[in-house]
Amino acid sequence: MRLLYILFFLDMLNLAVFLPVFNPFIKSIGGTPFIIGILNSSSALVSLLWNPIVGSLSDQLGRKGLLVKCLWASAIGSLLMAFSNSLIVVFLGKLIGSLGSGVGILLRSIVADIYRTAEEKNTFFNKCASFMSVGFLLGSVSSGFISELENGFSMAFLLMAAIMGVASLISMRTLPDDSATPNQITSETSILNKGVTELKSAAANLKTIAWDRYKSIFYIKGFYDFSISIIFTNIGLILINEFDVKGRTIGYVFMMVSLFRIAANILKLKFKNILVKIRVKNQIIGGGIVLFISYIAMALSESIIVFMPFLAIMVFARAFLDTILTEVITTKTTQTDRGKVIGAYENLYSFNMFVAPLFSGILSQIFGQRFVLGSAAIPIAISIAVANGETESEKTE
């Protein structure tokens, strides 16, 4: 199934086209940072509620059919944004497009269905990372150039709709049919009820987690994700409002962010033998301190020339900490609770992407964009403090 690589590529390409143009587009039709915060938080809430249900529905209906529906939802949302300058219609398009957030989950599930052994799956995802990196680079650069054209924002959203349309055609024609037979489906209502039941079950599982074992790493990850969400929500607005960065230059910035992250992952592998000798606790504290300094420096930067090096440093530190924190939670979990713990752990980012835009939108209206960017230093400082209070002495493997 080599075309699965193309589907992952197209999914990342779609995201990369979206990121550089959305904030400038909303600003161009009269949106304020607060409005942008409402839009992003609302779509994040839809994703937060929808994604746990996608897995359950795919078990009932089959993954192929649901994947195609999610791809079309994403395409329809992009079309609505392409043909309207009304904030209300754009809001509706953003919410509909958020139903496409399940595409990544479904693609990973399809990979797990098709490739049976752990070695086959690991090989696929290792190769797939290259396709996704290329997709992000191409999407970022092309989006920046397109946005400079007449009706450039509309053209960018039309490109996104076309990308998802192509992905849906590939899915329909190439993926194996796994749709449920009529006697497997009792009714549409029962299927929806199953999804809601799964969501309630996931919430109930939170009560059964041994929080004494995991609370410290959850605190560290939660506040770390909150700081990252603040930066992610405001980086585009800072570039536009503070440094007057437009069009292709925004695309170049996102391209460089991708290159920085790739370089960080390569360096981490290169220095693995050195890092393994450093206590996990100290690695987390060190990475957190670098983030703290980079947040403050970016907030105080008066020129893009000063801003970009600290952005690069932040991306390096984030890539480093993402890997470390994943290793920690994987090591701490047991066979009996691994699924629900990691599920709750990963949802921290989705929750923070719901909270951070609202938080940022309100504060930016009062104190300005730079203050909000600098405020990301507060949650990362809390993460550092929690890590410093840990007595855990294990080393990464």
Side-chain angles (χ1 to χ4, degrees), residues 192-351:
L192 293 177
N193 284 340
K194 174 65 175 176
V196 174
T197 300
E198 290 296 323
L199 188 60
K200 291 179 178 178
S201 176
N205 278 339
L206 294 177
K207 299 179 181 179
T208 66
I209 293 175
W211 289 110
D212 287 342
R213 178 180 176 83
Y214 302 114
K215 64 181 180 182
S216 292
I217 188 60
F218 267 76
Y219 286 142
I220 292 169
K221 177 71 157 51
F223 285 109
Y224 161 74
D225 278 350
F226 187 47
S227 76
I228 292 296
S229 299
I230 292 172
I231 297 296
F232 182 84
T233 302
N234 289 276
I235 192 72
L237 292 172
I238 283 285
L239 293 171
I240 297 168
N241 296 333
E242 300 293 333
F243 303 119
D244 197 31
V245 175
K246 299 176 182 177
R248 71 183 68 181
T249 309
I250 293 182
Y252 290 147
V253 170
F254 279 94
M255 180 189 73
M256 284 188 287
V257 166
S258 179
L259 291 174
F260 292 152
R261 190 171 180 88
I262 293 170
N265 288 328
I266 293 173
L267 286 175
K268 188 174 187 302
L269 289 173
K270 188 176 182 65
F271 294 106
K272 183 177 180 180
N273 292 335
I274 297 175
L275 293 173
V276 76
K277 300 175 183 178
I278 303 173
R279 291 175 60 188
V280 171
K281 166 182 170 177
N282 293 335
Q283 292 186 49
I284 293 173
I285 292 172
I289 290 172
V290 173
L291 284 181
F292 181 89
I293 294 171
S294 64
Y295 294 159
I296 298 297
M298 285 192 294
L300 296 176
S301 297
E302 295 294 335
S303 72
I304 190 68
I305 296 175
V306 177
F307 183 87
M308 285 304 298
F310 287 105
L311 175 62
I313 292 170
M314 185 211 76
V315 172
F316 269 82
R318 182 191 175 188
F320 173 78
L321 279 175
D322 282 346
T323 304
I324 292 297
L325 293 175
T326 299
E327 290 174 355
V328 170
I329 194 64
T330 303
T331 302
K332 276 182 171 287
T333 53
T334 64
Q335 186 67 37
T336 57
D337 67 2
R338 182 164 295 135
K340 61 186 177 184
V341 172
I342 293 180
Y345 187 77
E346 292 300 326
N347 259 346
L348 286 172
Y349 184 73
S350 298
F351 175 76

Side-chain angles (χ1 to χ4, degrees), residues 369-390:
Q369 216 77 50
R370 287 182 180 274
F371 177 87
V372 176
L373 203 67
S375 71
I378 298 174
I380 198 62
I382 297 174
S383 281
I384 294 169
V386 174
N388 190 51
E390 279 287 272

